[in-house]
Amino acid sequence: MNNTELDLNRLATMDAAQATRLLHKVREETLAGRTPPVAPRRVIDASWQRMFRLGLKPDQGTSSVLLRRDELEERRRTTVLGEVMRTLSAGLARIADASMQMMVVTDEHGRVLWREGNLSVMRQAHGICLEEGAAWSESDTGTNAVGTALAMGRAVQVHSAEHYVQQLHNWTCAAAPVHDPRDQRLLGIVDVSGPASSFHPTTLALVASVAQLAEAEMRQRHLRSIERLRSVAAPILCRVGGRAIAVDPHGWTAAVTGMAPVDRLALPKSFRAGRVWLPSLGMCAVEPLPGGWLLRVDDEPPTADPASGAASRVVLDLSRPRRWTVAVSGAAGSWSQELSPRHAELLYVLALHPEGRTAADLAEDVFGDRTRTVTVRAEMSRVRRNLAGVLAHRPYRFSEEVEVVLHRPAHPAELLPQSTAPAVVAARSGMSA
C-alpha cells in the first residue's frame, strides 16, 4: 500500500492475515513514536493522542461498573431514542444478526441502553463488557467506534488494531451519532459491532443512514406535535391583544400574532410560567399551553433608565468536546443556549477579535475562502436573531459595553474537535492564543 494514510476500503481487499499484520504494525510504530509503514487514519491518530493525554494504558481491560437495573430502565424511559428503537431495529438488528454482528444503542454518555443481534456474538461481547449498562466512552474503553463518535460528533468506524486497548483487537465496529432534530442535542450513538472477521467498510454508511432515518422519524413526530399545538393556540391568539407567540418546549413557533414570525426562540433552561425576560422579545408574560407555552410580550414603555435591562456579560463556553453554550446576563436576568458547531466557530473568532471582523475576514477564518461572504452573512443573521443585544455588525463584533468571557478546553487540541475552520485548526496546533 503506497498511500500515505491507511485506507479501510483498500484494506478490505487485502488478504486478512496481511491486513491484520499491517494494522498491528501501524499501531505499534505509531504508539512507540516511530514512523509507521502507513500513517494511521487521522480520526484514529487524533483519538490515540487523546488516550495518551488521558493516561489510558493499551493493556488495560474494558470492564466497567454496570448501571443498576432501575437506573438503566429510567434512562431508557426518558430518552427520545426509545421512540425510534423500532426503526433502528428494523434497519440494523436483523442485518447485524445475519452478518454475525450486533447492534448497540447508547445514551449521550456512552452507556449501553439496548443491544440486539446475533446471539453468539452477544455472548462473546460479555467478554469485553459490551453489554447493557456498560460504559463505552473513550475515557472508559479507549478508542472505539461508540466513544470516538461521541468525541468527534460524527460517524466513525474502528477496526481491529485501530482500537487503543489491545483487548478489542479482535473486534470491528461502526457507529454514528443520533441528534434530536428539535435542538440538535446529542441523544446517543447507534453502533454495529462484531468479530474482526465480519469487517466491511460499507457498514459505516449503513449505520449512518439508519441514524439519519431515525432523526427523520423524530422530525416528523415533532412536526405533528407542532400542528397539535397550533390547533390549540390559534383560537387563543385570536383573542389576545398586542404581540404574542405560542412555542413548544424547545422554542419552536406554532403560532404568532402582532409580530413577525420566527422559526424558533431561545428559551432558558429554567423556563416556567410567570414573567420572563427574553433577549429577542423583552419582558414577557408566560402561560402554559398543552404541549408548549403562550408568551405575551409586555409592550409597556421602558423605565426611566433604558439601559437597565441591557446585557452586560457574555460567557462563551467551548470547554467541552461536543456541547458548547453562550450565556448572556444583565440587570434584567440571564439566559443561555447551546450552539451549533458553525455558530460556535463564529463566536469563537469574534471573541478573539474584539475590534471586529468583516464578512470576508470571517469567511477566511471559518472556510479558508474570503469569497464565501454570502454564507457568512446568512449564518451571522441566524446568530444575531438571539444575540442582537450583544452583537454589533459592520464589522461583526461583540458590543463594546459587553464583557466577553471565553472558556476553552484544558488541552488546545480538544477545542471544537470536529472543526476544520482555519482559525480553530490554528488554535488547536498552538499557532493562536
Side-chain angles (χ1 to χ4, degrees), residues 277-332:
W277 180 80
L278 297 175
S280 56
L281 296 177
M283 191 61 68
C284 299
V286 180
E287 303 173 22
L289 290 174
W293 301 97
L294 172 65
L295 284 67
R296 292 185 294 166
V297 182
D298 188 348
D299 287 317
E300 292 295 320
T303 61
D305 180 7
S308 62
S312 59
R313 192 169 191 261
V314 173
V315 177
L316 181 60
D317 188 352
L318 306 181
S319 62
R320 288 161 291 192
R322 59 182 182 274
R323 181 176 176 268
W324 315 286
T325 61
V326 59
V328 179
S329 58

Side-chain angles (χ1 to χ4, degrees), residues 386-398:
N386 294 322
L387 294 173
V390 297
L391 282 180
H393 62 298
R394 297 178 185 171
Y396 294 110
R397 65 194 186 281
F398 284 102

